[in-house]
């Protein structure tokens, strides 16, 4: 399989989880897009809350595309209850503008509405890249996550959840699903509402041949990207009993695998590391985390063996 580092094209920086005044954000869509473009992003998906309270918006951001900046249509879908009784939050990027509403009048489950699994499957069938949003913030159980069979990805870092509740993580759920054989990718996002410093803190770097919605969406579905808070991943390759990692200057490189297996390499301003697999050698999947001197991280997608 072609990965993000050997695929043709170049990396484009994007945020996949963003809100505007079409739901509970404080900036209009045009200003949200302007700010991300000014910050050096190549693309964003405006994913306002797809509920009746806001008129089930799929924001039309096509007017804000321009030279060097594009948008993907999307929404944060809500329908059905998780085990804790709260409403599902599911990211859908690449939705058609006329995606049919379900029955979700507000931020609470109601009897008779479609399940989270059902709306996720409907979004995937409509062509969207589907991700399980902020598992830790949502109080998601493993059983909940197992049920979203249409998901392409898990949101493993959510900057808004980090800033607003210190519940940014999705790796616990993601690693358990990987160990069960689910071939999921891992995304970092802002979940920006611009009500607090919840923006420009986590993003994806997507490898595509052009900065165009169709090419970006295909690359996302194929897993040709990595997630980051700033550090760059430049190459990851299995080489016998070790993983070779190339990156921007970091102080830690970690290979993680099934269960508690992990091997770390520490140093100063490392741009290359050869990490022995050790206990990770028995795992069917591996992933890589790098950490820079400021504590910022980048995360690879899983590597299947």
């Amino acid at each position: 399989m072609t990965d993000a580092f050997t695929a043709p094209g170049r990396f484009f920086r994007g945020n996949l989880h963003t809100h505007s005044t079409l739901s509970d954000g404080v900036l209009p869509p045009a200003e949200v897009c302007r700010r991300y473009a000014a910050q050096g992003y190549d693309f964003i998906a405006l994913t306002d809350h797809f509920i009746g309270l806001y008129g089930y918006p799929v924001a039309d951001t096509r007017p804000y595309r321009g030279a060097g900046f594009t948008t993907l249509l999307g929404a944060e879908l809500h329908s059905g209850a998780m085990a804790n009784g709260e409403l599902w939050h599911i990211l859908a990027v690449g939705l058609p503008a006329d995606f049919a509403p379900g029955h979700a009048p507000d931020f609470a489950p109601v009897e008779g509405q479609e399940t989270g699994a059902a709306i996720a499957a409907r979004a995937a069938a409509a062509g969207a890249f589907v991700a399980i949003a902020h598992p830790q913030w949502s109080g998601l159980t493993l059983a909940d996550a197992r049920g979203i069979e249409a998901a392409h990805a898990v949101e493993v870092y959510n900057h808004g959840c980090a800033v607003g509740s210190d519940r940014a993580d999705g790796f616990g759920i993601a690693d358990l699903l990987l160990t069960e054989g689910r071939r999921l990718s891992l995304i970092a996002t802002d979940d920006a509402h611009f009500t607090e410093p919840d923006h420009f803190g986590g993003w994806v770097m997507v490898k595509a041949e052009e900065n165009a919605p169709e090419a970006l969406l295909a690359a996302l579905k194929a897993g040709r990207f990595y997630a980051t808070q700033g550090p760059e991943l430049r190459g990851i390759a299995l080489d016998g009993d070790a993983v070779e990692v190339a990156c921007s200057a970091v102080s830690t490189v970690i290979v993680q695998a099934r269960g508690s297996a992990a091997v770390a390499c520490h140093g100063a301003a490392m741009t290359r590391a050869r990490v022995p697999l050790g206990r990770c050698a028995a795992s069917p999947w591996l992933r890589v985390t790098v950490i820079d001197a400021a504590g910022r991280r980048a995360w690879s997608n899983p590597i299947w063996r």
Side-chain angles (χ1 to χ4, degrees):
M1 184 179 72
T2 304
D3 65 22
F5 308 106
T6 57
R10 53 154 287 199
F11 282 106
F12 296 99
R13 180 186 184 189
N15 180 42
L16 299 175
H17 192 168
T18 331
H19 297 277
S20 76
T21 49
L22 295 181
S23 62
D24 59 348
V26 299
L27 299 177
E31 178 62 10
V32 173
C33 291
R34 188 199 69 78
R35 291 196 188 190
Y36 273 93
Q39 194 67 24
Y41 282 70
D42 299 297
F43 70 94
I44 67 164
L46 198 55
T47 52
D48 278 301
H49 295 288
F50 196 68
I51 59 174
L53 177 66
Y54 302 120
Y56 298 104
V58 176
D60 184 4
T61 53
R62 290 172 294 183
Y64 315 123
R65 296 171 181 170
F69 182 79
T70 195
T71 65
L72 299 172
L73 303 192
E76 186 169 2
L77 307 178
H78 307 281
S79 196
M82 302 178 296
N84 63 7
E86 296 184 13
L87 195 67
W88 268 101
H89 292 236
I90 296 167
L91 277 179
V93 174
L95 281 177
D98 60 352
F99 184 69
H103 175 52
D106 207 330
F107 284 108
V110 295
E111 188 174 353
Q113 68 185 171
E114 64 188 321
T115 63
I119 199 168
R122 192 158 62 83
F129 172 78
V130 174
I132 299 170
H134 40 60
Q136 185 184 22
W137 182 90
S138 293
L140 206 70
T141 68
L142 178 57
D144 285 326
R146 283 178 180 140
I148 309 300
E149 296 181 359
H152 297 93
V154 176
E155 190 179 59
V156 292
Y157 177 75
N158 179 301
H159 191 58
C161 292
V163 169
S165 66
D166 197 28
R167 290 176 171 171
D169 187 69
F171 281 107
I173 289 290
D175 285 353
L176 290 171
L177 291 174
L178 294 174
T179 296
E180 292 182 350
R182 290 284 299 275
R183 297 206 169 208
L184 295 159
S185 55
L186 313 175
I187 63 171
T189 73
D190 276 345
D191 197 357
H193 293 71
F194 288 89
T195 54
E196 54 188 340
D198 58 1
H199 38 281
F200 315 142
W203 57 91
V204 289
M205 297 295 294
V206 180
K207 187 73 164 297
E209 294 196 70
E210 58 179 337
N211 189 29
E214 298 79 10
L216 295 168
L217 188 59
L220 284 166
K221 291 179 180 179
R224 293 195 292 269
F225 65 90
Y226 66 89
T228 186
Q229 298 170 316
E232 296 178 7
L233 290 174
R234 295 171 180 165
I236 298 173
L238 289 173
D239 182 20
D241 61 354
V243 178
E244 298 275 359
V245 179
C247 55
S248 57
V250 300
S251 53
T252 303
V253 178
I254 307 172
V255 175
Q256 293 111 325
R258 179 179 60 191
S260 62
V263 182
C265 178
H266 304 282
M270 295 185 296
T271 58
R272 301 194 71 86
R274 180 178 173 86
V275 185
L277 289 176
R279 292 176 57 225
C280 298
S283 178
W285 60 269
L286 308 168
R287 60 180 180 84
V288 172
T289 301
V290 300
I291 310 172
D292 70 12
R296 299 179 306 167
R297 288 157 165 77
W299 305 278
S300 79
N301 276 324
I303 302 161
W304 291 89
R305 307 172 65 218

